[in-house]
Amino acid sequence: MAFRLLGGNSKLLQFSSARHAPSRSVLVAASSDYSFATSVEDRRRGERPNRNDMKNEERRLSKVVRALTLMTSSQLEGVSHLMSNTIIESVGVAARLKGTNQGRRRQEAWVMKQIRDQTDEASLEKLLDAVDFSEKIGGIFVDPDILNLTELWREGLVSNDKVVMDEVCQAAVSSNLGVEPQRIRALARKAEEGVKENSVLMQQYSESMAAEARAVEEDPDSILTPALKVRVQGPKPNPALRELNKILKPLAEYTVKLRYSS
């Protein structure tokens, strides 16, 4: 005795009884087309499937993919470290299709599957943050991890931290971004000199302002005297530090992307 149950994209169940073993039943499950319900169950092995969780995850992914297809090239570049090149290419394909095109919906579903398979929860949360940022402000999202690493490196380089210097130079070599370690070392030395000089100027400037405030308090007319009109110069521009920042940001993006992909 045997019967088969067929229904749309649902799994096909086939029950049959073996001729030589009538007391045993065999359950055969044929693979179906991709569905979010199946993939969620696979990702959460041992957990009881929850329909609400599956719907929420599908909505999150759909929101991310749709927003990615609407981003400008600069905005997309700001989150490129959170995705593989394959996903970025798939997003580009979807973006070039008309919104009412059936192929557009299929392509977006394919991007959703790629993100599900290739990105972790932390990267997905960052993508959601980037989507919210682009929708509310319309600017370019900057990953806080990249900002923090850039700042940490900058402070380490101007403080002559050898561990940081070795880490940055290693990132420059492995990233193949055309940044020479010698250039980083030279800029770090100049930036350090500029920071020290500005530190002295800031101290003198603060002392000058304090002296002027005391003089005005003692005699309000003293503010008009030529001697108090000449103030100590404030901090000077530090072009080496600005150039160092431009170099460190792409290196930090490269390093953070490696961490996400590992």
Side-chain angles (χ1 to χ4, degrees):
M1 179 180 66
F3 73 90
R4 308 172 75 185
L5 175 62
L6 297 174
N9 290 331
S10 62
K11 293 184 178 179
L12 178 148
L13 301 180
Q14 177 182 340
F15 294 89
S16 64
S17 56
R19 178 178 300 177
H20 302 290
S23 61
R24 296 184 179 180
S25 295
V26 180
L27 174 63
V28 180
S31 60
S32 66
D33 293 337
Y34 171 80
S35 70
F36 284 100
T38 304
S39 62
V40 171
E41 291 177 10
D42 291 341
R43 291 183 68 191
R44 300 177 177 177
R45 296 181 182 277
E47 293 185 13
R48 191 173 182 177
N50 186 301
R51 186 176 298 274
N52 289 333
D53 289 344
M54 290 188 290
K55 288 182 178 180
N56 289 336
E57 184 170 4
E58 182 176 354
R59 279 195 293 267
R60 285 203 310 165
L61 286 171
S62 179
K63 178 181 179 181
V64 167
V65 172
R66 178 52 60 90
L68 289 175
T69 61
L70 298 176
M71 284 184 177
T72 65
S73 57
S74 298
Q75 290 174 327
L76 196 59
E77 184 179 356
V79 295
S80 61
H81 64 286
L82 300 171
M83 302 175 289
S84 66
N85 292 333
T86 304
I87 296 177
I88 296 175
E89 292 174 0
S90 297
V91 169
V93 172
R96 289 190 291 271
L97 297 173
K98 293 183 179 179
T100 57
N101 192 312
Q102 182 64 28
R104 167 76 174 248
R105 288 191 287 270
R106 287 196 296 268
Q107 182 66 18
E108 289 182 354
W110 170 240
V111 178
M112 291 168 67
K113 182 181 184 301
Q114 288 180 306
I115 292 178
R116 183 193 301 278
D117 294 341
Q118 300 178 26
T119 60
D120 56 15
E121 186 64 24
S123 299
L124 181 57
E125 289 296 330
K126 290 256 178 92
L127 286 173
L128 285 167
D129 291 341
V131 167
D132 291 338
F133 184 84
S134 63
E135 289 178 348
K136 295 177 181 178
I137 302 178
I140 299 174
F141 175 79
V142 181
D143 192 333
D145 289 346
I146 295 176
L147 289 177
N148 293 337
L149 183 59
T150 303
E151 183 178 355
L152 179 65
W153 279 353
R154 182 178 63 247
E155 291 179 355
L157 291 177
V158 298
S159 301
N160 197 23
D161 190 320
K162 294 183 179 180
V163 175
V164 173
M165 177 64 75
D166 291 342
E167 184 178 347
V168 174
C169 289
Q170 179 60 40
V173 172
S174 59
S175 65
N176 294 321
L177 295 176
V179 181
E180 295 294 334
Q182 294 84 351
R183 176 64 174 165
I184 295 175
R185 293 189 178 94
L187 286 173
R189 285 194 296 269
K190 290 182 180 180
E192 182 182 3
E193 293 173 359
V195 169
K196 290 180 179 179
E197 181 181 359
N198 279 335
S199 178
V200 174
L201 289 176
M202 279 298 297
Q203 180 66 28
Q204 295 175 349
Y205 184 77
S206 298
E207 293 174 354
S208 173
M209 293 297 293
E212 181 176 323
R214 288 194 298 270
V216 171
E217 184 178 355
E218 295 173 358
D219 183 3
D221 294 333
S222 63
I223 190 64
L224 301 177
T225 62
L228 290 177
K229 286 184 179 181
V230 180
R231 297 176 179 174
V232 178
Q233 184 181 8
K236 296 180 179 179
N238 193 335
L241 188 60
R242 287 200 302 268
E243 184 66 22
L244 196 60
N245 281 331
K246 293 180 180 179
I247 292 177
L248 291 180
K249 185 178 178 181
L251 292 179
E253 290 176 352
Y254 165 80
T255 304
V256 171
K257 186 170 185 177
L258 281 183
R259 294 175 181 175
Y260 284 132
S261 60
S262 61

